């Protein structure tokens, strides 16, 4: 039986619905969230402002922003039952599995019910994410039950202070903030599509986001920042990086943090985070990781004509911020929860259950044989 190679495998290039949330790779538009250029948001907005804009459809006024920030801060505290569950998850669990369980448990404690309060549900989940991963991390690694309800003005500051146990500089908090903005929304990528598919069955928001976390976990999606770090830190000089990379390419290995399913020439988020990675390397005084990353980017372009996606320089930036590598992908979760929730609400507002067709390639007329005769 000849297996037909499916045109458009992976649904590549197919339009699966309408969105007013972001433009990804649209000629002449660049990457925009509700029409705002990513470059401008990364320069001028806070992550909370971007989350509000995605979830509520407009930029907040000063008083709306103050109220929204206070509300998110008030949700930083985790319910006792959730903390008890987190305390039982072993130290060697993957933090993405912790996030998945944390989100699911929240859905048990505070079920969404009907969808009349959906943005409130979104805000609660969004504000809990940094608390979930940092609470588990500090407890499982150091036995410390951190107070997650800090007074930092942004999730960026809260997260860095909780994960490192030190007060971050304003600059470090800002870089984390920018990274969350860059991760906030990105069209119908695999995890967002998972969330929308789940939402299309009229399921609850916790289920949609739990499923999305599982999808983001893989190294071909959000796990790429972690996988990129594991590669980059093997090299100490540009020369080592070049010869190591050439060897990987000769072995036909995929280089994590490169390539993209939609972008063909560049990922517009890369220049933004690359600039910050360079700046952090200067502040740190050890530019090895940045130099190695820059060399890998150069050689990938030279050898394969491939460009770095946002995950690549995110890896060195997060490392310079003192974040353990395993916590890189959970940061993607924290940022993207705003986009997932906005997509879930958008799907609900104009819903039809997502149910594509398939090409059957299995056997015909299989003959049943009784179990004793097989
Ligand atoms: N390193 C080396 N080669 C790569 C590559 C990479 N990171 N990404 C793609 N290629 C090659 C593929 O091997 C393939 O070559 P072939 O045609 O000779 O088989 C070709 O480029 C096309 O790649 P393909 O896997 O079909 O692209 P895709 O659109 O299906 O996948 C990604 C897109 C992002 C999944 C893919 O580029 C990838 O796996 N990148 C690494 C993981 C990553 O960084 N993910 C985060 C994305 S934001």
């Amino acid at each position: 039986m000849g297996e037909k190679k499916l045109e458009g495998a992976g649904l590549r290039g197919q339009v699966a619905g309408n969105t007013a949330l972001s433009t990804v790779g649209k000629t002449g538009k660049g990457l925009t969230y509700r029409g705002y250029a990513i470059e401008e948001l990364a320069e001028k907005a806070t992550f909370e402002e971007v989350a509000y804009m995605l979830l509520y459809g407009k930029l907040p006024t000063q008083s709306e922003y103050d109220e929204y920030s206070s509300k998110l801060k008030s949700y930083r505290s985790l319910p006792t039952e959730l903390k008890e569950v987190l305390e039982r998850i072993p130290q060697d669990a993957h933090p993405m599995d912790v996030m998945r369980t944390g989100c699911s448990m929240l859905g048990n404690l505070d079920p969404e019910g009907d969808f009349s309060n959906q943005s409130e549900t979104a805000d609660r989940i969004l504000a809990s994410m940094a608390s979930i991963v940092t609470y588990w991390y500090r407890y499982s690694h150091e036995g410390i039950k951190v107070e997650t309800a800090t007074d930092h003005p942004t999730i960026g500051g809260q997260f860095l202070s909780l994960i490192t146990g030190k007060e971050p500089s304003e600059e470090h908090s800002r870089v984390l903030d920018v990274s969350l903005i860059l991760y906030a929304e990105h069209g119908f990528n695999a995890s967002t599509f998972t969330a929308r598919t789940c939402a299309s069955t009229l399921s609850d928001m916790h289920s949609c986001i739990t499923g999305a976390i599982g999808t983001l976990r893989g190294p071909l999606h959000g796990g790429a920042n972690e996988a990129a770090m594991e590669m980059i830190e093997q090299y100490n000089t540009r020369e080592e990086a070049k010869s190591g990379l050439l060897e990987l390419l000769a072995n036909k290995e995929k280089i994590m943090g490169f390539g993209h399913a939609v972008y063909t020439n560049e990922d517009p988020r890369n220049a933004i985070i690359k600039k910050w990675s360079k700046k952090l390397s200067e502040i740190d005084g050890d530019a090895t990781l940045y130099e190695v990353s820059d060399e890998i980017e150069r050689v990938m372009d030279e050898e394969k004509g491939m460009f770095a996606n946002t995950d690549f320089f995110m890896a060195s930036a997060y490392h310079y911020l003192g974040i353990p590598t395993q916590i890189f992908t959970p940061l993607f979760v924290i940022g993207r929860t705003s986009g997932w929730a906005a997509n879930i609400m958008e799907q609900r507002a104009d819903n039809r259950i997502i149910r594509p067709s398939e090409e059957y390639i299995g056997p015909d007329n299989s003959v049943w044989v009784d179990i004793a005769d097989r």
Side-chain angles (χ1 to χ4, degrees):
M1 187 177 48
E3 201 172 297
K4 235 187 349 172
K5 182 87 180 148
L6 192 64
E7 276 283 307
L11 300 178
R12 198 70 78 254
Q14 298 183 38
V15 174
N18 295 332
T19 186
L21 293 170
S22 63
T23 52
V24 183
K26 300 273 182 291
T27 313
K29 286 194 164 66
L31 175 59
T32 62
Y33 299 168
R34 291 198 187 276
Y36 296 101
I38 191 66
E39 292 78 9
E40 192 166 23
L41 294 173
E43 192 189 325
K44 298 180 179 162
T46 63
F47 171 63
E48 281 76 355
E49 225 170 347
V50 170
Y52 183 100
M53 185 263 285
L54 287 170
L55 293 166
Y56 293 88
K58 69 178 207 42
L59 286 175
T61 61
Q62 185 66 54
S63 63
E64 285 165 342
Y65 181 73
D66 294 343
E67 201 180 309
Y68 190 58
S69 300
S70 309
K71 182 166 79 166
L72 292 184
K73 269 194 213 173
S74 74
Y75 293 155
R76 285 179 188 173
S77 164
L78 298 174
T80 308
E81 297 86 340
L82 174 52
K83 288 197 271 192
E84 282 167 8
V85 167
L86 295 173
E87 285 165 21
R88 283 170 168 264
I89 303 180
Q91 187 189 55
D92 61 357
H94 194 284
M96 284 298 281
D97 298 342
V98 177
M99 308 276 312
R100 192 189 59 210
T101 299
C103 181
S104 184
M105 182 66 184
L106 265 184
N108 288 304
L109 298 173
D110 189 18
E112 187 179 13
D114 65 25
F115 301 156
S116 56
N117 242 345
Q118 55 178 352
S119 48
E120 193 62 22
T121 305
D123 291 337
R124 268 186 182 274
I125 300 175
L126 176 64
S128 302
M129 289 300 193
S131 300
I132 288 172
V133 70
T134 52
Y135 185 86
W136 166 78
Y137 189 83
R138 295 292 299 283
Y139 182 79
S140 64
H141 287 73
E142 298 167 39
I144 297 173
K145 298 183 183 190
V146 286
E147 177 46 74
T148 53
T150 74
D151 199 35
H152 296 89
T154 63
I155 294 174
Q158 178 215 11
F159 175 88
L160 275 181
S161 139
L162 290 175
I163 201 80
T164 63
K166 291 188 286 223
E167 276 317 293
S169 66
E170 247 175 62
E171 205 143 35
H172 279 192
S173 298
R174 179 60 192 154
V175 183
L176 200 79
D177 216 25
V178 170
S179 78
L180 298 179
I181 293 170
L182 298 182
Y183 274 147
E185 163 56 21
H186 215 230
F188 285 18
N189 56 82
S191 58
T192 301
F193 196 59
T194 300
R196 288 189 83 122
T197 303
C198 187
S200 81
T201 71
L202 303 184
S203 187
D204 67 294
M205 194 172 290
H206 296 90
S207 297
C208 299
I209 294 184
T210 302
I213 294 171
T215 307
L216 188 71
R217 188 192 196 293
L220 297 189
H221 194 4
N225 55 16
E226 195 179 318
M229 185 66 213
E230 280 156 15
M231 172 187 61
I232 297 160
E233 65 187 350
Q234 290 174 33
Y235 310 122
N236 292 307
T237 60
R238 280 184 179 265
E239 294 67 37
E240 270 179 42
K242 182 175 180 181
S243 62
L245 178 61
L246 291 176
E247 202 179 317
L248 290 173
L249 290 177
N251 292 336
K252 304 251 174 283
E253 302 254 359
K254 262 198 176 175
I255 310 305
M256 294 302 159
F258 283 85
H260 200 273
V262 177
Y263 297 128
T264 46
N265 299 320
E266 63 166 356
D267 178 339
R269 301 165 297 179
N270 180 48
I272 299 169
I273 198 62
K274 182 177 179 184
K275 200 181 86 196
W276 277 111
S277 171
K278 185 169 198 301
K279 188 152 196 193
L280 289 173
S281 76
E282 288 158 6
I283 295 171
D284 188 87
D286 180 355
T288 309
L289 273 183
Y290 176 78
E291 295 288 334
V292 161
S293 305
D294 186 57
E295 181 66 8
I296 292 173
E297 186 188 35
R298 192 189 68 73
V299 177
M300 278 299 278
D301 181 33
E302 196 173 87
E303 293 291 317
K304 300 270 293 181
M306 290 191 74
F307 58 90
N309 59 52
T310 192
D311 288 317
F312 189 64
F313 280 95
M314 201 66 89
S316 49
Y318 281 163
H319 187 88
Y320 282 124
L321 293 178
I323 301 167
T325 304
Q326 281 204 320
I327 310 290
F328 289 4
T329 316
L331 278 162
F332 198 152
V333 172
I334 297 169
R336 186 58 57 84
T337 297
S338 58
W340 287 332
N343 271 276
I344 291 163
M345 295 196 277
E346 191 177 59
Q347 179 69 35
R348 287 174 175 175
D350 184 18
N351 188 51
R352 187 172 191 198
I353 191 167
I354 296 174
R355 203 311 185 184
S357 303
E358 60 285 323
E359 191 75 35
Y360 178 69
I361 56 160
D364 289 326
N365 304 321
S366 299
V367 179
W368 174 259
V369 180
D370 280 339
I371 195 160
D373 302 326
R374 281 177 220 156

